[in-house]
Each structure stands twice: as C-alpha cells, then as structure tokens.
Amino acid sequence: MNAVLFLLSVSVLVCYIDRSNLSIAAEMIKGELQISDFQLGALLSTFFWVYASLQIPAGWLVDRFDVKWVFAAGFFLWSAATAVTGLLHGFIALVIVRAILGVGESIAFPSYSNIFSTHFTESQRGTANAALQIGLAMGPALGMSAGGVAVARFGWRPFFLVLGFGSLLWLIPWVMAMPNRSASAQALAHSNVRILDILRMRSAWGSCFGQFSLNYSLYLLVTWLPSFLIRSRHFSMTGMAKAGGVIFTAYAISAFLVGRISDRFIRAGYSATRVRKTMLGVGLIGIGAGLFGAAVVPDRFVVAVLGLGGALLAMAGTNSWAVAQTIAGPQVAGRWTGVQNFVGNMGGAGAPVLTGYLLGRTGQFYLPLAIAAVIAWLGAISWVVVVGPVEEVAWDEQTRGSRLHSEASATGSARS
C-alpha cells in the first residue's frame, strides 16, 4: 500500500492547493472585480459551505461503493473546477465554480478514513495520517511560495489553468495502483449502522467540536494568511509567498515527526487514548497561543510565531483522524468521518466570512485572531475531556441496544 499512500498524500496536496489558491490571488481578484472585503470573505467561504454540507452523503458513498472509483470521480471534478476558474470574469461565476470545487473535494477525507481504517493497523495510522498532513501543509506552502511567485509574474488566470489541467494526470497512476474493493469490504458496505447511531455517542460530539476548532484555525490560515501578511504586516507579494511557505513547511515537518512518534509510542505499549489525546491537547493549546501571539508580536517575530503554531497544529491534525478511524472501525469509518468533517467544516466555512466581516468593521486582524485562539483552546478541552476511550466500537451491540431502547420507548408511549 506504499504507492497508494504516496498517491493519497499527493492528492491532498493538490486538494489544499486548489482550496487555498483563491486566497493567493485574493487581492488581485478583489481589485479586478471591485468587490468588498465581505464579498471576498463570502467568496472564500463558498467552497467550505458546500464542502461541509456534503460530508455526510460523501461518507455514505465511500462506505457503500468502491472507494477507488468514488475518489477518482471527485478528484476529476475538483481539478476541472480549478481549471475553469481561470476562464471566468464575474463574481457570481466564481461563486458557482467554487461550489463545484466543494462538491468534488467533499469525498476526500471520508475516502481517506475508509482506506486507512480498512488497510492500516492502529500503530500505522499515525504515519499514514501524517502523510496526509504533509500533503495538506505542502499544498498551501507550494501554493503560497511557488504559486505566489507565479501569480505575481504571470497573473492568476494561467496559474489556475495549469494547476487544474495538470492535476488530472494524477488519475492515471491512481487507477493502476489502488486495488478494487475486496469481498470482505463489500460485505461491510451493507452495514446497518445509521448516522443517528453515531450521534448518540458522546465521543462523536467531542470529535465533531474538536474538528471544528482544528478547521477554524487551519482555514483561517489557508484563506486569510496572505492578506494578513500583506495588509497588517506590510509584506510584499514575494515576501508573503516566502513567509507562507516557511509556515506551512514547518507544519509538514512537524506532521512527519509527530506521526512517527505517535506510532512508536503505541507500538511500545502506550494506549491509543493516552497518545492521541495528549497530542491533540498540546497541539491545540499551541496553535491558540500562536494565533494570539501573531496579533501582538513585532513584525520580525510574526513568521516564527506562526511557524511554531503551525507545527503544533500539525500535532493535533495528525491525530484527529486517527481517533475517528479507530473508534469507527472499517465498518463505519467513512460515515463517522463524514459527520465529524461536516461539523468541523462549519469552522472552515465560518472562519473566512467572519474574518472578512470583522476586518471590514475594524480594519484590523486582532479580533479575528483572538477569536480563533479561544476556539482552539476550547477544542483542546473537547478532545481530551469529551471524547471517550480511543478504541473501536462494537457496532452490532451498539445498534442493537439503541434499537431496543427506541422500540421500548415507542411501546411505552403507545401504552400510555
């Protein structure tokens, strides 16, 4: 599965370049289309609203059908949407194509969890998820460094066209390397676990708000970091590109190290609960401190503070999906991830538009960064306290118990 893991890491790199590329060109697009900060924030958040709203259906799709082909279809759709963006000239048209991008990318993380829960053991999932986090970080890093330079030199439209059409080449090795679904996985596809059964669990609610807090911080950086560095810290376009590359490279390096370390601790006999929760708690406290610090430190320290915060955010991000994959198991991994990512991406959708609104009202980034810090600290509490033991649920017993409870309640109501 090494080839598949490599391709998945590349796919998430493309995924995050595609969802962050609009922010790289945001100031150019704002000037060209003559739109307000609030409209720009709404445009940046359109992707996240659509992406979030489709997470639960996407989770059902990847559990129900062969994830190989579901993922290939989604990858084709989001790459095509990126290419078409470079041909558009109107605000409404850009909103529509960003929505289509959200449709395509909605299958990504439910697919990753389905594959990792089925093909990787608990002591391998830290490294596997780290590979995704490396791609996740290098997407914005390459987008801001290489993409920022390309946009400054050639304009934003050629950047979108080359990126979108070039990404389609990824589909060729994917179809060759990813095996078709096995007979045992086919049997699990007809599981009778409902979304309601997942939502009855305290751990589901804890992981959902925990993911909300992670995504709020991450997508704030992905969408508004270039504008923050240019407007508030007076970086040039090239300086912004280099600084953004440094911050997300720190994220990628941290993800690689944390993934290997967490797996090593688990192989040494430490419980998944202890390892995953420690990483999540420390990581979210750290990114909260980094975001708060970015609002107040002198200009010469801002990249170092955000880089350290990004490294700690990677510590949390690498372990959040491993928690979902372990608790849900291969039977329900796609659906659990869909639910978790649906709530989580409310943070992704809310961060850009709230930041744009507050920026339009105050002209400063202080309040948006402080809000993100508080949300990160609350997320640390959710992962550590609300989420229960990180071990696979016995779904047959869980669903049988919930159905018997529902039947008993209905019978009692009928008698009364």
Side-chain angles (χ1 to χ4, degrees), residues 114-415:
N114 178 286
I115 293 167
F116 289 171
S117 186
T118 302
H119 296 286
F120 293 80
T121 66
E122 173 63 62
S123 63
Q124 296 172 326
R125 289 179 194 147
T127 300
N129 282 282
L132 293 187
Q133 295 297 314
I134 291 168
L136 181 154
M138 293 310 296
L142 290 173
M144 289 186 187
S145 54
V149 172
V151 168
R153 184 172 181 181
F154 302 108
W156 64 275
R157 296 184 186 279
F159 174 62
F160 279 83
L161 289 167
V162 172
L163 177 62
F165 287 125
S167 298
L168 293 172
L169 297 173
W170 177 92
L171 289 166
I172 298 171
W174 172 254
V175 171
M176 296 172 62
M178 181 64 190
N180 292 319
R181 186 166 58 181
S182 65
S184 59
Q186 178 73 27
L188 289 175
H190 298 280
S191 167
N192 62 352
V193 178
R194 305 167 299 179
I195 298 299
L196 185 60
D197 295 320
I198 296 172
L199 293 177
R200 284 194 174 101
M201 301 186 63
R202 188 187 78 179
S203 289
W205 289 99
S207 68
C208 283
F209 182 77
Q211 196 65 43
F212 179 100
S213 68
L214 271 164
N215 285 4
Y216 195 97
S217 295
L218 177 61
Y219 295 157
L220 176 64
L221 294 176
V222 167
T223 56
W224 279 104
L225 178 60
S227 293
F228 168 70
L229 293 175
I230 291 170
R231 290 197 208 179
S232 183
R233 298 299 184 164
H234 313 296
F235 281 58
S236 66
M237 188 71 174
T238 302
M240 175 279 294
K242 292 178 180 178
V246 168
I247 291 166
F248 283 103
T249 299
Y251 186 111
I253 293 171
S254 173
F256 172 77
L257 295 174
V258 166
R260 295 181 68 87
I261 290 169
S262 61
D263 283 350
R264 180 169 295 182
F265 273 119
I266 290 173
R267 284 194 295 269
Y270 291 88
S271 71
T273 301
R274 184 176 180 181
V275 172
R276 305 297 185 204
K277 288 191 174 188
T278 299
M279 299 284 189
L280 283 157
V282 172
L284 279 165
I285 291 170
I287 184 57
L291 290 170
F292 190 82
V296 297
V297 298
D299 289 352
R300 64 182 180 274
F301 296 127
V302 69
V303 174
V305 168
L306 284 173
L308 180 59
L312 289 163
L313 181 61
M315 178 182 291
T318 299
N319 285 276
S320 67
W321 296 116
V323 170
Q325 291 150 17
T326 298
I327 295 176
Q331 187 177 1
V332 191
R335 273 160 284 183
W336 184 294
T337 300
V339 172
Q340 180 173 317
N341 217 20
F342 168 71
V343 178
N345 274 276
M346 292 297 104
V353 70
L354 178 59
T355 299
Y357 172 76
L358 294 173
L359 186 60
R361 294 294 299 271
T362 68
Q364 301 290 335
F365 279 90
Y366 295 118
L367 187 55
L369 291 172
I371 290 172
V374 172
I375 290 173
W377 294 330
L378 292 175
I381 295 172
S382 187
W383 281 113
V384 174
V385 177
V386 181
V387 173
V390 181
E391 53 192 37
E392 186 173 346
V393 173
W395 286 108
D396 291 339
E397 297 177 11
Q398 177 77 16
T399 55
R400 187 184 305 116
S402 66
R403 302 243 165 82
L404 287 173
H405 176 75
S406 298
E407 291 170 7
S409 298
T411 302
S413 299
R415 286 176 179 171

